[in-house]
mmCIF file with all atom_site columns, all heavy atoms in Angstrom:
data_model
loop_
_atom_site.group_PDB
_atom_site.id
_atom_site.type_symbol
_atom_site.label_atom_id
_atom_site.label_alt_id
_atom_site.label_comp_id
_atom_site.label_asym_id
_atom_site.label_entity_id
_atom_site.label_seq_id
_atom_site.pdbx_PDB_ins_code
_atom_site.Cartn_x
_atom_site.Cartn_y
_atom_site.Cartn_z
_atom_site.occupancy
_atom_site.B_iso_or_equiv
_atom_site.pdbx_formal_charge
_atom_site.auth_seq_id
_atom_site.auth_comp_id
_atom_site.auth_asym_id
_atom_site.auth_atom_id
_atom_site.pdbx_PDB_model_num
ATOM 1   N N   . PRO A 1 22 ? -152.600 -104.792 14.278 1.00 0.00 ? 45 PRO A N   1
ATOM 2   C CA  . PRO A 1 22 ? -152.272 -105.635 15.437 1.00 0.00 ? 45 PRO A CA  1
ATOM 3   C C   . PRO A 1 22 ? -152.152 -104.871 16.694 1.00 0.00 ? 45 PRO A C   1
ATOM 4   O O   . PRO A 1 22 ? -152.141 -105.428 17.765 1.00 0.00 ? 45 PRO A O   1
ATOM 5   C CB  . PRO A 1 22 ? -150.768 -106.090 14.960 1.00 0.00 ? 45 PRO A CB  1
ATOM 6   C CG  . PRO A 1 22 ? -150.282 -105.024 14.058 1.00 0.00 ? 45 PRO A CG  1
ATOM 7   C CD  . PRO A 1 22 ? -151.497 -104.654 13.379 1.00 0.00 ? 45 PRO A CD  1
ATOM 8   N N   . SER A 1 23 ? -152.183 -103.444 16.654 1.00 0.00 ? 46 SER A N   1
ATOM 9   C CA  . SER A 1 23 ? -152.092 -102.716 17.822 1.00 0.00 ? 46 SER A CA  1
ATOM 10  C C   . SER A 1 23 ? -153.227 -102.856 18.713 1.00 0.00 ? 46 SER A C   1
ATOM 11  O O   . SER A 1 23 ? -153.194 -102.476 19.936 1.00 0.00 ? 46 SER A O   1
ATOM 12  C CB  . SER A 1 23 ? -151.828 -101.233 17.501 1.00 0.00 ? 46 SER A CB  1
ATOM 13  O OG  . SER A 1 23 ? -152.937 -100.732 16.808 1.00 0.00 ? 46 SER A OG  1
ATOM 14  N N   . TRP A 1 24 ? -154.326 -103.408 18.199 1.00 0.00 ? 47 TRP A N   1
ATOM 15  C CA  . TRP A 1 24 ? -155.497 -103.628 19.043 1.00 0.00 ? 47 TRP A CA  1
ATOM 16  C C   . TRP A 1 24 ? -155.831 -105.051 19.372 1.00 0.00 ? 47 TRP A C   1
ATOM 17  O O   . TRP A 1 24 ? -156.774 -105.426 19.915 1.00 0.00 ? 47 TRP A O   1
ATOM 18  C CB  . TRP A 1 24 ? -156.782 -102.970 18.336 1.00 0.00 ? 47 TRP A CB  1
ATOM 19  C CG  . TRP A 1 24 ? -156.687 -101.461 18.154 1.00 0.00 ? 47 TRP A CG  1
ATOM 20  C CD1 . TRP A 1 24 ? -156.243 -100.813 16.988 1.00 0.00 ? 47 TRP A CD1 1
ATOM 21  C CD2 . TRP A 1 24 ? -156.733 -100.532 19.276 1.00 0.00 ? 47 TRP A CD2 1
ATOM 22  N NE1 . TRP A 1 24 ? -156.187 -99.501  17.292 1.00 0.00 ? 47 TRP A NE1 1
ATOM 23  C CE2 . TRP A 1 24 ? -156.480 -99.242  18.624 1.00 0.00 ? 47 TRP A CE2 1
ATOM 24  C CE3 . TRP A 1 24 ? -157.084 -100.662 20.595 1.00 0.00 ? 47 TRP A CE3 1
ATOM 25  C CZ2 . TRP A 1 24 ? -156.533 -98.111  19.354 1.00 0.00 ? 47 TRP A CZ2 1
ATOM 26  C CZ3 . TRP A 1 24 ? -157.024 -99.445  21.288 1.00 0.00 ? 47 TRP A CZ3 1
ATOM 27  C CH2 . TRP A 1 24 ? -156.821 -98.140  20.685 1.00 0.00 ? 47 TRP A CH2 1
ATOM 28  N N   . ALA A 1 25 ? -154.711 -105.840 19.102 1.00 0.00 ? 48 ALA A N   1
ATOM 29  C CA  . ALA A 1 25 ? -154.897 -107.278 19.471 1.00 0.00 ? 48 ALA A CA  1
ATOM 30  C C   . ALA A 1 25 ? -154.751 -107.424 20.972 1.00 0.00 ? 48 ALA A C   1
ATOM 31  O O   . ALA A 1 25 ? -154.032 -106.628 21.641 1.00 0.00 ? 48 ALA A O   1
ATOM 32  C CB  . ALA A 1 25 ? -153.810 -107.983 18.743 1.00 0.00 ? 48 ALA A CB  1
ATOM 33  N N   . ALA A 1 26 ? -155.342 -108.582 21.370 1.00 0.00 ? 49 ALA A N   1
ATOM 34  C CA  . ALA A 1 26 ? -155.185 -108.832 22.813 1.00 0.00 ? 49 ALA A CA  1
ATOM 35  C C   . ALA A 1 26 ? -153.826 -109.034 23.342 1.00 0.00 ? 49 ALA A C   1
ATOM 36  O O   . ALA A 1 26 ? -153.092 -109.764 22.588 1.00 0.00 ? 49 ALA A O   1
ATOM 37  C CB  . ALA A 1 26 ? -156.074 -110.104 23.120 1.00 0.00 ? 49 ALA A CB  1
ATOM 38  N N   . GLY A 1 27 ? -153.413 -108.458 24.369 1.00 0.00 ? 50 GLY A N   1
ATOM 39  C CA  . GLY A 1 27 ? -151.996 -108.620 24.859 1.00 0.00 ? 50 GLY A CA  1
ATOM 40  C C   . GLY A 1 27 ? -150.994 -107.717 24.274 1.00 0.00 ? 50 GLY A C   1
ATOM 41  O O   . GLY A 1 27 ? -149.872 -107.740 24.587 1.00 0.00 ? 50 GLY A O   1
ATOM 42  N N   . TYR A 1 28 ? -151.465 -106.762 23.323 1.00 0.00 ? 51 TYR A N   1
ATOM 43  C CA  . TYR A 1 28 ? -150.491 -105.902 22.579 1.00 0.00 ? 51 TYR A CA  1
ATOM 44  C C   . TYR A 1 28 ? -149.685 -104.996 23.664 1.00 0.00 ? 51 TYR A C   1
ATOM 45  O O   . TYR A 1 28 ? -148.558 -104.752 23.336 1.00 0.00 ? 51 TYR A O   1
ATOM 46  C CB  . TYR A 1 28 ? -151.282 -105.068 21.571 1.00 0.00 ? 51 TYR A CB  1
ATOM 47  C CG  . TYR A 1 28 ? -150.495 -104.191 20.776 1.00 0.00 ? 51 TYR A CG  1
ATOM 48  C CD1 . TYR A 1 28 ? -149.770 -104.637 19.657 1.00 0.00 ? 51 TYR A CD1 1
ATOM 49  C CD2 . TYR A 1 28 ? -150.343 -102.741 21.084 1.00 0.00 ? 51 TYR A CD2 1
ATOM 50  C CE1 . TYR A 1 28 ? -148.925 -103.755 18.926 1.00 0.00 ? 51 TYR A CE1 1
ATOM 51  C CE2 . TYR A 1 28 ? -149.544 -101.921 20.322 1.00 0.00 ? 51 TYR A CE2 1
ATOM 52  C CZ  . TYR A 1 28 ? -148.895 -102.400 19.263 1.00 0.00 ? 51 TYR A CZ  1
ATOM 53  O OH  . TYR A 1 28 ? -148.096 -101.550 18.483 1.00 0.00 ? 51 TYR A OH  1
ATOM 54  N N   . THR A 1 29 ? -150.451 -104.560 24.630 1.00 0.00 ? 52 THR A N   1
ATOM 55  C CA  . THR A 1 29 ? -149.616 -103.711 25.540 1.00 0.00 ? 52 THR A CA  1
ATOM 56  C C   . THR A 1 29 ? -149.200 -104.383 26.874 1.00 0.00 ? 52 THR A C   1
ATOM 57  O O   . THR A 1 29 ? -148.876 -103.663 27.873 1.00 0.00 ? 52 THR A O   1
ATOM 58  C CB  . THR A 1 29 ? -150.548 -102.536 25.936 1.00 0.00 ? 52 THR A CB  1
ATOM 59  O OG1 . THR A 1 29 ? -151.681 -102.925 26.574 1.00 0.00 ? 52 THR A OG1 1
ATOM 60  C CG2 . THR A 1 29 ? -150.919 -101.699 24.672 1.00 0.00 ? 52 THR A CG2 1
ATOM 61  N N   . GLN A 1 30 ? -149.290 -105.639 26.901 1.00 0.00 ? 53 GLN A N   1
ATOM 62  C CA  . GLN A 1 30 ? -149.036 -106.365 28.182 1.00 0.00 ? 53 GLN A CA  1
ATOM 63  C C   . GLN A 1 30 ? -147.595 -106.453 28.397 1.00 0.00 ? 53 GLN A C   1
ATOM 64  O O   . GLN A 1 30 ? -146.849 -107.340 27.875 1.00 0.00 ? 53 GLN A O   1
ATOM 65  C CB  . GLN A 1 30 ? -149.660 -107.776 28.060 1.00 0.00 ? 53 GLN A CB  1
ATOM 66  C CG  . GLN A 1 30 ? -149.593 -108.588 29.405 1.00 0.00 ? 53 GLN A CG  1
ATOM 67  C CD  . GLN A 1 30 ? -150.430 -109.894 29.283 1.00 0.00 ? 53 GLN A CD  1
ATOM 68  O OE1 . GLN A 1 30 ? -151.126 -110.110 28.372 1.00 0.00 ? 53 GLN A OE1 1
ATOM 69  N NE2 . GLN A 1 30 ? -150.233 -110.677 30.399 1.00 0.00 ? 53 GLN A NE2 1
ATOM 70  N N   . THR A 1 31 ? -147.036 -105.535 29.262 1.00 0.00 ? 54 THR A N   1
ATOM 71  C CA  . THR A 1 31 ? -145.578 -105.577 29.529 1.00 0.00 ? 54 THR A CA  1
ATOM 72  C C   . THR A 1 31 ? -145.350 -106.566 30.687 1.00 0.00 ? 54 THR A C   1
ATOM 73  O O   . THR A 1 31 ? -146.179 -106.878 31.530 1.00 0.00 ? 54 THR A O   1
ATOM 74  C CB  . THR A 1 31 ? -145.209 -104.126 29.955 1.00 0.00 ? 54 THR A CB  1
ATOM 75  O OG1 . THR A 1 31 ? -146.002 -103.694 30.980 1.00 0.00 ? 54 THR A OG1 1
ATOM 76  C CG2 . THR A 1 31 ? -145.272 -103.184 28.754 1.00 0.00 ? 54 THR A CG2 1
ATOM 77  N N   . ARG A 1 32 ? -144.028 -106.828 30.771 1.00 0.00 ? 55 ARG A N   1
ATOM 78  C CA  . ARG A 1 32 ? -143.630 -107.832 31.844 1.00 0.00 ? 55 ARG A CA  1
ATOM 79  C C   . ARG A 1 32 ? -143.811 -107.169 33.290 1.00 0.00 ? 55 ARG A C   1
ATOM 80  O O   . ARG A 1 32 ? -144.272 -107.772 34.179 1.00 0.00 ? 55 ARG A O   1
ATOM 81  C CB  . ARG A 1 32 ? -142.175 -108.201 31.695 1.00 0.00 ? 55 ARG A CB  1
ATOM 82  C CG  . ARG A 1 32 ? -141.581 -109.109 32.748 1.00 0.00 ? 55 ARG A CG  1
ATOM 83  C CD  . ARG A 1 32 ? -140.156 -109.449 32.537 1.00 0.00 ? 55 ARG A CD  1
ATOM 84  N NE  . ARG A 1 32 ? -139.577 -110.266 33.459 1.00 0.00 ? 55 ARG A NE  1
ATOM 85  C CZ  . ARG A 1 32 ? -138.335 -110.646 33.594 1.00 0.00 ? 55 ARG A CZ  1
ATOM 86  N NH1 . ARG A 1 32 ? -137.467 -110.332 32.622 1.00 0.00 ? 55 ARG A NH1 1
ATOM 87  N NH2 . ARG A 1 32 ? -137.837 -111.409 34.717 1.00 0.00 ? 55 ARG A NH2 1
ATOM 88  N N   . TYR A 1 33 ? -143.403 -105.828 33.290 1.00 0.00 ? 56 TYR A N   1
ATOM 89  C CA  . TYR A 1 33 ? -143.459 -105.037 34.503 1.00 0.00 ? 56 TYR A CA  1
ATOM 90  C C   . TYR A 1 33 ? -144.562 -104.058 34.437 1.00 0.00 ? 56 TYR A C   1
ATOM 91  O O   . TYR A 1 33 ? -144.891 -103.523 33.327 1.00 0.00 ? 56 TYR A O   1
ATOM 92  C CB  . TYR A 1 33 ? -142.172 -104.363 34.717 1.00 0.00 ? 56 TYR A CB  1
ATOM 93  C CG  . TYR A 1 33 ? -140.877 -105.315 34.804 1.00 0.00 ? 56 TYR A CG  1
ATOM 94  C CD1 . TYR A 1 33 ? -140.011 -105.407 33.793 1.00 0.00 ? 56 TYR A CD1 1
ATOM 95  C CD2 . TYR A 1 33 ? -140.797 -106.170 35.936 1.00 0.00 ? 56 TYR A CD2 1
ATOM 96  C CE1 . TYR A 1 33 ? -138.938 -106.208 33.944 1.00 0.00 ? 56 TYR A CE1 1
ATOM 97  C CE2 . TYR A 1 33 ? -139.754 -107.053 35.946 1.00 0.00 ? 56 TYR A CE2 1
ATOM 98  C CZ  . TYR A 1 33 ? -138.743 -107.046 34.897 1.00 0.00 ? 56 TYR A CZ  1
ATOM 99  O OH  . TYR A 1 33 ? -137.737 -107.933 35.059 1.00 0.00 ? 56 TYR A OH  1
ATOM 100 N N   . PRO A 1 34 ? -145.196 -103.676 35.599 1.00 0.00 ? 57 PRO A N   1
ATOM 101 C CA  . PRO A 1 34 ? -146.124 -102.627 35.576 1.00 0.00 ? 57 PRO A CA  1
ATOM 102 C C   . PRO A 1 34 ? -145.707 -101.325 35.007 1.00 0.00 ? 57 PRO A C   1
ATOM 103 O O   . PRO A 1 34 ? -144.576 -101.024 35.210 1.00 0.00 ? 57 PRO A O   1
ATOM 104 C CB  . PRO A 1 34 ? -146.604 -102.544 37.041 1.00 0.00 ? 57 PRO A CB  1
ATOM 105 C CG  . PRO A 1 34 ? -146.086 -103.851 37.682 1.00 0.00 ? 57 PRO A CG  1
ATOM 106 C CD  . PRO A 1 34 ? -144.870 -104.207 37.013 1.00 0.00 ? 57 PRO A CD  1
ATOM 107 N N   . ILE A 1 35 ? -146.640 -100.554 34.369 1.00 0.00 ? 58 ILE A N   1
ATOM 108 C CA  . ILE A 1 35 ? -146.364 -99.215  33.982 1.00 0.00 ? 58 ILE A CA  1
ATOM 109 C C   . ILE A 1 35 ? -146.784 -98.217  34.927 1.00 0.00 ? 58 ILE A C   1
ATOM 110 O O   . ILE A 1 35 ? -147.990 -98.320  35.378 1.00 0.00 ? 58 ILE A O   1
ATOM 111 C CB  . ILE A 1 35 ? -147.081 -98.989  32.539 1.00 0.00 ? 58 ILE A CB  1
ATOM 112 C CG1 . ILE A 1 35 ? -146.438 -99.861  31.505 1.00 0.00 ? 58 ILE A CG1 1
ATOM 113 C CG2 . ILE A 1 35 ? -147.009 -97.481  32.229 1.00 0.00 ? 58 ILE A CG2 1
ATOM 114 C CD1 . ILE A 1 35 ? -147.043 -99.809  30.167 1.00 0.00 ? 58 ILE A CD1 1
ATOM 115 N N   . VAL A 1 36 ? -145.998 -97.181  35.253 1.00 0.00 ? 59 VAL A N   1
ATOM 116 C CA  . VAL A 1 36 ? -146.353 -96.175  36.297 1.00 0.00 ? 59 VAL A CA  1
ATOM 117 C C   . VAL A 1 36 ? -146.303 -94.813  35.477 1.00 0.00 ? 59 VAL A C   1
ATOM 118 O O   . VAL A 1 36 ? -145.154 -94.511  34.972 1.00 0.00 ? 59 VAL A O   1
ATOM 119 C CB  . VAL A 1 36 ? -145.407 -96.210  37.476 1.00 0.00 ? 59 VAL A CB  1
ATOM 120 C CG1 . VAL A 1 36 ? -145.893 -95.042  38.456 1.00 0.00 ? 59 VAL A CG1 1
ATOM 121 C CG2 . VAL A 1 36 ? -145.467 -97.478  38.219 1.00 0.00 ? 59 VAL A CG2 1
ATOM 122 N N   . LEU A 1 37 ? -147.298 -94.155  35.413 1.00 0.00 ? 60 LEU A N   1
ATOM 123 C CA  . LEU A 1 37 ? -147.410 -92.828  34.764 1.00 0.00 ? 60 LEU A CA  1
ATOM 124 C C   . LEU A 1 37 ? -147.171 -91.674  35.744 1.00 0.00 ? 60 LEU A C   1
ATOM 125 O O   . LEU A 1 37 ? -147.845 -91.711  36.757 1.00 0.00 ? 60 LEU A O   1
ATOM 126 C CB  . LEU A 1 37 ? -148.748 -92.664  34.090 1.00 0.00 ? 60 LEU A CB  1
ATOM 127 C CG  . LEU A 1 37 ? -149.120 -93.704  33.003 1.00 0.00 ? 60 LEU A CG  1
ATOM 128 C CD1 . LEU A 1 37 ? -150.530 -93.495  32.469 1.00 0.00 ? 60 LEU A CD1 1
ATOM 129 C CD2 . LEU A 1 37 ? -148.144 -93.767  31.870 1.00 0.00 ? 60 LEU A CD2 1
ATOM 130 N N   . VAL A 1 38 ? -146.259 -90.818  35.421 1.00 0.00 ? 61 VAL A N   1
ATOM 131 C CA  . VAL A 1 38 ? -145.852 -89.756  36.383 1.00 0.00 ? 61 VAL A CA  1
ATOM 132 C C   . VAL A 1 38 ? -146.087 -88.346  35.764 1.00 0.00 ? 61 VAL A C   1
ATOM 133 O O   . VAL A 1 38 ? -145.514 -87.943  34.726 1.00 0.00 ? 61 VAL A O   1
ATOM 134 C CB  . VAL A 1 38 ? -144.356 -89.866  36.784 1.00 0.00 ? 61 VAL A CB  1
ATOM 135 C CG1 . VAL A 1 38 ? -143.955 -88.879  37.847 1.00 0.00 ? 61 VAL A CG1 1
ATOM 136 C CG2 . VAL A 1 38 ? -143.992 -91.360  37.053 1.00 0.00 ? 61 VAL A CG2 1
ATOM 137 N N   . HIS A 1 39 ? -147.030 -87.567  36.408 1.00 0.00 ? 62 HIS A N   1
ATOM 138 C CA  . HIS A 1 39 ? -147.474 -86.312  35.815 1.00 0.00 ? 62 HIS A CA  1
ATOM 139 C C   . HIS A 1 39 ? -146.403 -85.236  35.974 1.00 0.00 ? 62 HIS A C   1
ATOM 140 O O   . HIS A 1 39 ? -145.471 -85.352  36.875 1.00 0.00 ? 62 HIS A O   1
ATOM 141 C CB  . HIS A 1 39 ? -148.789 -85.869  36.489 1.00 0.00 ? 62 HIS A CB  1
ATOM 142 C CG  . HIS A 1 39 ? -148.709 -85.588  37.894 1.00 0.00 ? 62 HIS A CG  1
ATOM 143 N ND1 . HIS A 1 39 ? -148.099 -84.451  38.380 1.00 0.00 ? 62 HIS A ND1 1
ATOM 144 C CD2 . HIS A 1 39 ? -149.165 -86.231  38.972 1.00 0.00 ? 62 HIS A CD2 1
ATOM 145 C CE1 . HIS A 1 39 ? -148.227 -84.447  39.722 1.00 0.00 ? 62 HIS A CE1 1
ATOM 146 N NE2 . HIS A 1 39 ? -148.940 -85.497  40.148 1.00 0.00 ? 62 HIS A NE2 1
ATOM 147 N N   . GLY A 1 40 ? -146.627 -84.156  35.292 1.00 0.00 ? 63 GLY A N   1
ATOM 148 C CA  . GLY A 1 40 ? -145.689 -83.030  35.336 1.00 0.00 ? 63 GLY A CA  1
ATOM 149 C C   . GLY A 1 40 ? -146.173 -81.843  36.375 1.00 0.00 ? 63 GLY A C   1
ATOM 150 O O   . GLY A 1 40 ? -147.043 -82.179  37.180 1.00 0.00 ? 63 GLY A O   1
ATOM 151 N N   . LEU A 1 41 ? -145.759 -80.642  36.113 1.00 0.00 ? 64 LEU A N   1
ATOM 152 C CA  . LEU A 1 41 ? -146.102 -79.535  36.868 1.00 0.00 ? 64 LEU A CA  1
ATOM 153 C C   . LEU A 1 41 ? -147.618 -79.236  36.820 1.00 0.00 ? 64 LEU A C   1
ATOM 154 O O   . LEU A 1 41 ? -148.272 -79.333  35.698 1.00 0.00 ? 64 LEU A O   1
ATOM 155 C CB  . LEU A 1 41 ? -145.334 -78.294  36.277 1.00 0.00 ? 64 LEU A CB  1
ATOM 156 C CG  . LEU A 1 41 ? -145.710 -76.917  36.973 1.00 0.00 ? 64 LEU A CG  1
ATOM 157 C CD1 . LEU A 1 41 ? -145.187 -76.843  38.404 1.00 0.00 ? 64 LEU A CD1 1
ATOM 158 C CD2 . LEU A 1 41 ? -145.089 -75.774  36.142 1.00 0.00 ? 64 LEU A CD2 1
#
Side-chain angles (χ1 to χ4, degrees):
S46 64
W47 296 102
Y51 181 78
T52 63
Q53 188 172 350
T54 54
R55 177 181 178 184
Y56 303 110
I58 293 172
V59 181
L60 302 175
V61 188
H62 66 72
L64 176 68

